[in-house]
Amino acid sequence: MSGNLQLLSDTLAAAKSEGRAALIAYLPAGFPTVDGGIEAIKAVIDGGADVVEVGLPHSDPVLDGPVIQTADDIALRGGVKIADVMRTVREAHAATGKPILVMTYWNPIDRYGVERFTAELAEAGGAGCILPDLPVQESALWREHAEKHGLATVFVVAPSSKDERLAQITAAGSGFVYAASLMGVTGTRASVSSQAQGLVERTRATRADLPVCVGLGVSNPAQAAEVAGFADGVIVGSAFVKAMLDAPDDAAGLEAVRGLAGDLAKGVRGQA
């Protein structure tokens, strides 16, 4: 069974052909429950998201700010397992036909087994993984199995990344590059970092055919429109999670994320 790297690439290319950036939403698996998390993913796609990143909840995050940490804690207290993450990917992809990635730190994959993880993710219809803490120089084993199973390997770059390192990362990566717009953790912010556009341009200069998508801090249609002006994709996570955390009940949470996705989708299309 081959994963859906090609579907991811085709989806990003289709958005580009429409003269816009793709909208990429992030939601953790198991939040507020496994079933509720699957419904939330369907809701953001129904609202207009092109791609979804499913977070694998982790007790010791490096990149995730307090909003996502809160959701991860709820999921972990609920007993979420890697099998639940795979089920989330499988059901979300089967219901929507959209590319679904997993965003995870390296330790859970290492403990689970690289071959087992990649085989199961491909079988579930996954498009690949975003691996924020896997150094490119230590990624050969992962990339071997990801390539064998048709999965994207998405690395994270930051404003501090030197051009030489950007070139190493884009040479090894596939699907797209995740450009962190600032040095820090995830969370909604009042404005998009001024460093983001320069990072996108520097990353593109190392490999023109690999899309560059920007995350960290985008939370409203105006910011989405701003980032869409220079990036191939706009990644939004904390704003979706916060909308669900702030909702009085699960049904209201689904409506909130569906509506936010609709607003952000207008933003990436310049209609906000």
Side-chain angles (χ1 to χ4, degrees):
M1 178 86 180
S2 182
N4 274 311
L5 167 58
Q6 190 60 52
L7 175 63
L8 174 64
S9 298
D10 291 347
T11 299
L12 294 171
K16 186 174 184 178
S17 74
E18 294 173 12
R20 66 175 180 90
L23 175 59
I24 303 175
Y26 166 95
L27 286 166
F31 168 72
T33 62
V34 176
D35 288 341
I38 293 167
E39 291 306 311
I41 293 169
K42 293 178 188 176
V44 297
I45 290 173
D46 186 47
D50 300 290
V51 179
V52 173
E53 304 171 6
V54 175
L56 195 160
H58 195 274
S59 59
D60 189 24
V62 177
L63 189 69
D64 301 309
V67 170
I68 291 174
Q69 285 183 36
T70 299
D72 278 3
D73 186 56
I74 291 169
L76 290 167
R77 287 174 187 272
V80 70
K81 300 285 192 292
I82 287 180
D84 299 311
V85 177
M86 297 298 179
R87 181 188 150 210
T88 299
V89 171
R90 178 181 295 105
E91 294 193 15
H93 173 64
T96 66
K98 298 290 186 181
I100 312 291
L101 298 127
V102 170
M103 186 165 188
T104 179
Y105 298 104
W106 180 245
N107 188 51
I109 294 177
D110 192 38
R111 293 192 57 157
Y112 198 73
V114 176
E115 169 60 25
R116 181 184 177 196
F117 190 94
T118 51
E120 290 184 8
L121 183 56
E123 188 274 330
C129 266
I130 301 163
L131 301 161
D133 66 342
L134 178 63
V136 65
Q137 63 269 25
E138 297 175 19
S139 66
L141 178 65
W142 163 266
R143 287 188 286 119
E144 174 192 339
H145 288 290
E147 188 173 336
K148 180 170 79 172
H149 290 291
L151 298 169
T153 298
V154 179
F155 291 111
V156 178
V157 298
S160 61
S161 302
K162 301 288 189 286
D163 290 351
E164 181 183 0
R165 181 160 179 78
L166 292 176
Q168 291 175 336
I169 288 171
T170 56
S174 56
F176 64 91
V177 178
Y178 186 126
S181 65
L182 43 78
M183 301 300 294
V185 296
T186 60
T188 62
R189 289 175 171 83
S191 62
V192 176
S193 167
S194 60
Q195 298 173 303
Q197 185 168 357
L199 176 59
V200 170
E201 290 170 356
R202 290 196 298 122
T203 304
R204 275 207 191 110
T206 66
R207 184 178 164 190
D209 68 319
L210 189 63
V212 183
C213 303
V214 171
L216 269 67
V218 178
S219 62
N220 60 53
Q223 292 172 341
E226 180 186 349
V227 172
F230 57 81
D232 298 296
V234 179
I235 302 169
V236 181
S238 295
F240 284 118
V241 176
K242 187 174 187 302
M244 292 182 68
L245 286 169
D246 290 348
D249 55 50
D250 291 352
L254 294 179
E255 284 308 307
V257 295
R258 184 181 288 108
L260 177 58
D263 291 342
L264 292 165
K266 290 178 183 174
V268 301
R269 289 167 172 80
Q271 301 167 355

